[in-house]
Amino acid sequence: MPLYEYVCQDCGVRFEVLRPMRDADADIPCKNCLGKNTKRALSVFYASSDGRSVTSSGSCDSCSGGSCSSCGHH
Ligand SMILES: [Zn+2]
């Protein structure tokens, strides 16, 4: 299943979601503010090569070290 990245136009949070290709352009609520004003960013698929898992959702680029106030990841 491809990994898609979305950007919230309201709060600016980027988040990644694993979802079927047919749902790639379907609306998805922001994980931070639950707003519906989100846009799909470029697909990143499994391009990450720094060793961290990209299969778990709920984390953003800045919270690889632990909790993150920008996306609510703990
Ligand atoms: Zn948001």
Side-chain angles (χ1 to χ4, degrees):
M1 213 182 296
L3 180 70
Y4 294 105
E5 185 171 19
Y6 297 84
V7 180
C8 177
Q9 306 292 296
D10 291 334
C11 67
V13 159
R14 290 151 52 111
F15 57 97
E16 297 165 347
V17 181
L18 275 172
R19 62 195 321 208
M21 206 171 288
R22 67 177 181 275
D23 290 341
D25 291 316
D27 288 341
I28 186 166
C30 172
K31 289 193 171 181
N32 184 53
C33 69
L34 302 181
K36 296 221 173 74
N37 196 14
T38 55
K39 278 192 172 173
R40 184 157 65 95
L42 289 177
S43 300
V44 292
F45 291 94
Y46 297 97
S48 178
S49 59
D50 59 3
R52 76 186 171 95
S53 172
V54 294
T55 57
S56 62
S57 60
S59 61
C60 68
D61 288 344
S62 60
C63 63
S64 56
S67 62
C68 171
S69 59
S70 68
C71 72
H73 181 227
H74 299 292

